Amino acid sequence: MAGGRAHGHAAGLPAVGEPSALGPEPSIVGREAEVRRLARVTGLGADVPSGDALLGADAPHGGVRLAADEVGGGVLLVIGEPGVGKSTLLEDAARRAAHAGHRVLRATGRESERDLAFAGLHQLLRPVLDEADELPERQRLALLGAFGFAEASGEPLLTGLAVLTLLSRLADRTPVVLVVDDAQWIDAASAGVLSFVAWRLDDDPVALLVAVRNGEPLPGFDDAFPAIRLEPLDDAFPAITLTPLDDAASRRLLDLRAPELPAGIRDRVLAEAAGNPLALLELAKAAHSRGLEPHDHGPLPVGERLAAGYAAQVAELPEVCRRTLLLLAAADVADPPDAVLALLPDPDDKTWLTLEQASLVGRAGRQVRFRHPLVRSAVYQSAPFDARAQAHRALADVLGDEPDRRAWHLAAATPYPDAEVSAALERTADRARRRGGYAAAAQALARAAELSPVPGDGTRLLVDAAGLAVLTGRLAWVEELAERIRARTDDPNALAAATLRVGRLTALTRRHNAVFAELIGIAGDPAATHPATALDALAAAAVLRFYSGEASHRQEIDRILPRLPDDPMRDWVRMVADPFGGGRGLVPRLPSMIAAARNHPERLTALAVAAWILDEIALAVRTFDEAVRSWRTRGPIPDGLAGVAALAYFEYGRWAQAREVCADIGALAAGKLDHAAACVLATDAMVLAAQGDTVEARALAERALRLVDPLESRSVAVHARRATAAAAAAEGDYESAYEQYRTLFDRGGDPVHYHASYPALPELAAAAARTGRHAEAAEIVERSARALAEGGSARLHALVERSRALLAAPERAERAFLAALEEPALEQRPFEHAQTRLEYAEWLRRRRRIAESRPHLAAAHDVFARLDARPWAERARAELRAAGTDVAVPDPHGLAELSPQQRQIVRLAARGLTNREIGERLFLSPRTVGSHLYRVFPKLGVTTRAQLRDVVDAGGVPRE
């Protein structure tokens, strides 16, 4: 079992401390506002005394009452330095919630468990795992598999859905409070599931309280909790940042807990503690126990010196006490299994009394915990290595039924290479990988590499570790592993593999040109690297060619490609890097290549991208559908190419789905993979601009441009500027629109990006026609037509004809319009096809061919209404009225007011799916689905689920 066994309370000394010889009862001083904030999140009223009131632990609810109209829910971070009182606030909130009848589940991060996949999650859910029997079968198996109780599914998001459903079921009976202390040490797999759940707590009375040390990284949490970086991000969860107590609160705390301190010592304690509650109490305790006088000189222990003080205290204990403490510190569990308890003194042994009287540990039943992490750290670090190794070997000997823990204990006891321990860690990594614990697997492989006695095996393990680390999205970690590979080998294939792994993640940042050069260096020397590695490197380089749009990149790829062996990957490179040249002739091979890639989401995604680039939109969307389904069940695999799925769905008329993909990828990329985040921001902006949400579209486009260098990420820059231009056009500002569209082509009229610029030609032409810039725009259109004459797709030829029609003299315009409309490829993109029909109908009506215009206007209007393209729908309605046809404002049921997620819920509910089935499809809790439906029914004017079918059939929400 990889998870932890402990269900224990937070191990931290408080802003106020726990009972000790210095004071009778714990009290919270100077944190009244924070207590009220936590009370609101946990569903308790906020009637908390303020001012000088002290909240005693024995007061009913501590003065906090359960409000009749408040059930709680949401996420709150408690951030601060060690000893500032995070654990005490969480403990206080948990106690109040439990007193009010809420279900409280707790977990505490531990350094020794941060590499054990799902250890923290198991610790949190262990008291309620019996409830898993009531989950849907796939969810039940995913959850139990994550903990090693069933065959691992390897589907982290399904595990997250299982946790969400489990918590929702618990919350049906009573509000639930999740308390996660020392979250900086929670393993990444657990953190990933908790972050998944955190974003979906809107409608469930489930509160998640997370305490984290200021400045500590939270792998797996950092996407969900950007506030940890202490940056003012709009989408961050609420946070409390605990600052040191002010002078008045510090003095009140000492009055309560150390009233006997002499005035001179008291002032020194106040000065040296600097408002840190732990330091206040411990310094006061040390001064009291040592009988310090005001005239005594020398600093009081604080910070590292405080840890040294603990070590000195431990050194004075009997040998049996020191051995017991070291075993506990090495085991680092608050609820030891029977095997570990067998190594410790009997419960009634006087050793425990000695340790408790020394205020080093506390016991409650089977729970044994250190009073503060500094105690554990001091015990462990002050012991000589031989003693620590002996403790770890003893623990490994009794943990035979927990192979992952046993492997790590053996590793901690092994200072030199050891083949058996290395192999045990490799097996641990394999188990973690199969459960989706990529970070834990990478950590285990990296340590296995250190302990491998065979240099070649160690290098292989590090390369594998770097490959798994890529899946976490943590670029700095991948770079660190690559440096370790370079330091231990000169094997060119291993070095190339290391560079390639770094390059795959760096490609999703803004350093495209530098990474391209490195990848080309690998691919260009196949004699020094394995041919497969060279092909992988060239494929990654082709991705960068697409991102950057740099012409010289294609020349480099063309130079190297003939040297590499014939392979489907080589064909893919040509499709992506040169879609209007050699890549165009490979279109007939795409279906067979896709068929051969079934059940491989990464390859399917890549081939879907190729299909999209080659304008085979229907094939691209079908392939993306299959890839995204697999991708979602595989967990958060950072893949910038998956962002193209959003563009494909947008072009194919599935705008809600496009926005959902943007949201999914944006959550994975935020804060660390700037290019990937910018891709989806720009795409989302294009959708919003088309729907008339011009303010938000412009804001997203500006954010996208701030994240990248436009010269190294031309694809992002083009899409962002298209969105900005479309927003301006929607507002009637065609001058600004033309200026933005014009930036998509250079001074000579060539496209800024070899693929992304061309689809904007009709938009450029339309803005030019309204601003009198016919000649300049016509030159750009004709220059593009010449460039696309040989290798351009049928869709691009149709867009060129549409552009010509918008700029042409009357006698030539109709022929160009008809040429565009007769192209079947344009019909597969409903928005572009509807735009062309509207523009042709406008041309017809202005020539008084009103009867001919009406069918085109009506068809275009229906598409715009279905897509919720409000500016275009209004324009079509105005034309219909001018043509003598009165059209009622569409969407009488309020579908335009629904979010993309709500529309998806409506569509699935109309098909007869239950709330639980919808939740499983969309990774939401059944309660959240029900809450959305409850809110949308009045907007849609319906009272039963059966009526939703009529809403969908009316054209507001496409069924598929």
Side-chain angles (χ1 to χ4, degrees), residues 692-959:
D693 191 348
T694 58
V695 174
E696 183 64 12
R698 197 174 283 110
L700 292 182
E702 289 171 357
R703 282 176 60 192
L705 289 171
R706 285 198 301 269
L707 286 173
V708 298
D709 178 348
L711 295 179
E712 294 207 25
S713 296
R714 291 182 178 88
S715 60
V716 170
V718 167
H719 292 134
R721 286 170 178 150
R722 273 189 74 184
T724 302
E731 295 169 343
D733 184 0
Y734 293 102
E735 287 285 349
S736 296
Y738 182 80
E739 290 174 4
Q740 289 292 326
Y741 285 128
R742 184 63 184 82
T743 64
L744 309 188
F745 298 85
D746 64 20
R747 187 171 299 177
D750 290 324
V752 167
H753 187 276
Y754 69 100
H755 183 271
S757 292
Y758 287 128
L761 281 170
E763 298 160 350
L764 171 79
R770 289 177 179 263
T771 57
R773 293 181 170 89
H774 292 69
E776 182 182 41
E779 174 56 32
I780 294 173
V781 170
E782 294 308 316
R783 192 177 185 90
S784 298
R786 291 191 293 272
L788 296 170
E790 295 297 326
S793 66
R795 177 246 187 157
L796 289 178
H797 289 312
L799 292 181
V800 166
E801 292 297 337
R802 176 184 159 200
S803 304
R804 284 169 167 163
L806 291 166
L807 297 168
E811 63 273 13
R812 297 198 303 273
E814 184 167 23
R815 184 172 57 193
F817 271 129
L818 292 175
L821 287 171
E822 288 169 0
E823 176 50 59
L826 204 60
E827 296 179 13
Q828 295 182 341
R829 291 171 172 78
F831 187 51
E832 289 179 0
H833 190 241
Q835 288 175 306
T836 309
R837 296 192 76 168
L838 173 61
E839 290 159 350
Y840 179 44
E842 289 172 332
W843 185 89
L844 289 170
R845 192 185 66 77
R846 281 157 180 71
R847 279 143 191 83
R848 302 188 182 280
R849 295 163 61 180
I850 294 174
E852 294 177 69
S853 73
R854 286 172 182 156
H856 293 289
L857 288 172
H861 174 268
D862 288 347
V863 172
F864 296 143
R866 176 176 67 81
L867 295 176
D868 194 25
R870 293 185 291 276
W872 291 88
E874 178 55 40
R875 182 171 153 185
R877 281 196 296 275
E879 288 292 327
L880 280 166
R881 285 191 292 268
T885 302
D886 191 19
V887 180
V889 176
D891 222 353
H893 301 296
L895 283 163
E897 301 177 18
L898 304 188
S899 69
Q901 186 178 77
Q902 288 173 332
R903 293 179 188 176
Q904 197 169 18
I905 290 171
V906 167
R907 185 180 73 237
L908 295 173
R911 289 168 51 188
L913 275 69
T914 66
N915 288 2
R916 173 176 286 185
E917 291 167 337
I918 295 171
E920 190 156 352
R921 290 279 189 95
L922 304 183
F923 297 104
L924 300 171
S925 75
R927 178 191 290 267
T928 296
V929 174
S931 178
H932 277 302
L933 288 173
Y934 177 81
R935 289 197 292 267
V936 304
F937 270 31
K939 295 179 182 179
L940 300 177
V942 302
T943 56
T944 67
R945 295 170 80 101
Q947 293 174 291
L948 294 176
R949 181 183 297 272
D950 296 332
V951 174
V952 171
D953 287 341
V957 181
R959 280 179 179 256

Side-chain angles (χ1 to χ4, degrees), residues 25 57 61 87 113 129 142 174 177 214 217 238 269 292 325 336 364 387 401 407 427 478 611 665 688 690 848 876 936:
E25 293 289 344
H61 302 289
S87 299
E113 294 186 351
L129 272 184
T174 185
V177 177
N214 196 350
V269 168
L292 292 180
L325 287 173
D401 61 341
R427 291 191 293 272
V478 179
I665 298 171
L688 290 174
R848 302 188 182 280
V936 304

Side-chain angles (χ1 to χ4, degrees), residues 406-425:
R406 181 176 186 276
W408 279 109
H409 280 300
L410 288 173
T414 306
Y416 305 112
D418 186 302
E420 290 186 9
V421 178
S422 178
L425 284 171

Side-chain angles (χ1 to χ4, degrees), residues 26-28 31-32 35-36 39 44-50 53-66 92-93 95-97 99-100:
S27 301
I28 295 183
R31 303 294 191 201
E32 290 81 5
V35 169
R36 287 194 291 272
L44 303 173
D47 185 15
V48 178
S50 59
L54 301 177
L55 304 182
D58 54 348
H61 302 289
V64 180
R65 295 198 306 269
L66 179 66
D92 180 74
R95 186 176 68 250
R96 298 178 197 280
H99 195 284

